[in-house]
Amino acid sequence: MTPYVSFPPSLLHNSVLALGAAVRHALDAQLADGSWPSDPEPRIFETAMAAYTLYRAADGRTSPQIDGARAWLQKASAQTQHPVAHAIEEWLRALALTPESVAMAPVRECQDAGCSGRAIYIHAVGLAAGAPGTDAALLRQQARDELAKAGRARLRDSQLAILRSAEIIAASQLDADEPTEALDNLAAAQSPDGGYNMQPATTALVLLALTVSGKGPQIAARCRTNLLREQRSDGTWRLVCNDVWDVGEMLFALRGAPGFEIGAERKALDFLAQAQNPDGGWSYKAGIQSDNVSTAHALLALPATPHGREVWPRAEAFLRGTQRNDGLWASWLSAEEPTEPDLIAMMISAVQGHGSTAIDLGPARAWLASADFQARETFRWYSPTGFFTRPAIAALGADSPPARAFLRPLIDEQKPDGGWPDHPRCEHSGAAGTGLAISTLAPAAHHILPNALHKGVDYLIKSQRADGSWSGSPIASGPRPLLAELTTETHAFAATALRDVVLAFSSRKEPASTDQPAGGR
């Protein structure tokens, strides 16, 4: 139970009203299959890449589809939360709008920021476009080095497609033959709809590689058909919707909220349980191969439910099978990929929530307790600080020294208006950042000055829209350092805070503790 902290009755009353509005919005938006519409906002990254590739595939001829994309690109703004994200989007936009004038690709910037996957992607595009500073031999070696790791671990389909495409582009520039398995891999990884893991940027790179090399015409034709079909009426292409992930967030946010159980919870639980893959894991999107982080995330929404008990045996086997020798998990299924505090915190909480004793969490707890919070921007799945601190505190206990150390940076990020930013570099408060911060601080409220919590809740109430939702900003990492804006997740993160506050403080009658908190506004 959370130690007692006072909460003004009028603010609690307004929180109840705001939570009710958030629940009604969720009920109205839920689809018949139990999921929520999760259409990401468009970005320059996907749209510029698809437009440029279609232009190249058409031998430099324009079309209404390309013109529509270019019209949108001329008005769009590049992301600014990270200098490398900004550089990538500005370069791709210029490439799509003026393909005859190619600037140096931001490959070194990606490498210096530790974004090796993005470096290979941009290097491949730059090489195909004839950008200065690209090196076919170097790109081929980098792709081969990454592919060699696959001999010891499993690659995601989209990752394999990117590496094989880079290899094909490099070979075409070197007048060398690409490995025979390259086209076989691309054919095997291609989905029936012609795309690659429902990611237009990956599909576009495959099409670009096959266009410049003249290889795989049937694969290329399916890629082109997929891109043309997936273009939206506004001329854009969008990141894949994360229906499984978003259902998990909504369940985690609103379970226990009045009205949600009767109207939406059962359908959402059914959807999440049915989305479990045959291997026992989950992905962020139904129909895509499992990964560790999505599996932990789904399990966080299922404890203490019949659905959770039903899926747990296979999920437990999946987690035991992907746990490394050091007791940790990699984010995806490749043991070569680094682990991250976000994942480990979620994994500990998920396993604890299902009461498993078959999975040894000791090494994971020790590793998480020693995590360097100041390096958090290198491992976040979401940009708000609270996304990591919330499961970390749940995993380690709010009163543990590591958890209290994680709280300090979060407390310091609070803005004068009472909210928290959606990204540490952002000067303004956001609904998602504020909701995650409050959800983190509510169980640890005795460690902060109560006014910090009160001001945060007041910010959420005042920023709620008339329909019960909140405006958002790009917060979801993918591919890093780019961010995506997902309205369902913004709603879930904000609503979580109101649910936690209402459930934690509605029945309090005792006076506030006289213990001095650690800090806060």
Side-chain angles (χ1 to χ4, degrees), residues 361-380:
L361 295 176
R365 288 195 187 96
W367 185 88
L368 181 62
S370 63
D372 179 9
F373 186 86
Q374 298 307 317
R376 62 194 184 280
E377 288 192 30
T378 64
F379 56 69
R380 281 187 179 162

Side-chain angles (χ1 to χ4, degrees), residues 264-278:
E265 184 176 323
R266 178 59 186 265
K267 288 195 299 182
L269 287 169
D270 287 344
F271 178 91
L272 196 57
Q274 291 166 9
Q276 187 180 28
N277 287 328

Side-chain angles (χ1 to χ4, degrees), residues 273-449:
Q274 291 166 9
Q276 187 180 28
N277 287 328
D279 62 7
W282 281 263
S283 179
Y284 52 87
K285 167 73 176 174
I288 296 178
Q289 65 192 127
S290 302
D291 62 80
N292 285 325
V293 68
S294 297
T295 299
H297 186 266
L299 289 170
L300 283 172
L302 292 171
T305 66
H307 296 75
R309 290 188 287 273
E310 177 186 345
V311 302
W312 178 249
R314 284 194 294 143
E316 183 180 59
F318 176 87
L319 295 182
R320 293 181 67 183
T322 59
Q323 190 175 25
R324 303 189 316 203
N325 292 334
D326 61 3
L328 305 179
W329 289 265
S331 298
W332 303 96
L333 296 186
S334 170
E336 296 292 334
E337 294 187 9
T339 191
E340 298 166 329
D342 311 57
L343 165 64
I344 298 305
M346 286 192 289
M347 194 68 77
I348 294 170
S349 296
V351 174
Q352 288 178 163
H354 288 267
S356 174
T357 58
I359 298 176
D360 182 11
L361 295 176
R365 288 195 187 96
W367 185 88
L368 181 62
S370 63
D372 179 9
F373 186 86
Q374 298 307 317
R376 62 194 184 280
E377 288 192 30
T378 64
F379 56 69
R380 281 187 179 162
W381 285 94
Y382 287 83
S383 59
T385 300
F387 185 78
F388 164 64
T389 52
R390 181 178 69 174
I393 288 173
L396 298 173
D399 293 323
S400 67
R404 297 189 68 172
F406 293 149
L407 283 175
R408 183 74 262 172
L410 180 64
I411 294 170
D412 290 343
E413 285 183 7
Q414 190 172 24
K415 301 296 183 182
D417 63 3
W420 275 262
D422 285 345
H423 192 284
R425 292 192 181 97
C426 185
E427 297 180 358
H428 308 290
S429 298
T434 302
L436 285 166
I438 293 171
S439 184
T440 300
L441 295 173
H446 54 299
H447 290 311
I448 65 172
L449 293 174

Side-chain angles (χ1 to χ4, degrees), residues 6 73 82 186 194 212 226 241 329 332 348 382 432 441-442 449 501:
S6 62
L73 287 168
H82 194 288
L186 291 180
V212 300
N226 174 273
C241 67
W329 289 265
W332 303 96
I348 294 170
Y382 287 83
L441 295 173
L449 293 174
V501 164

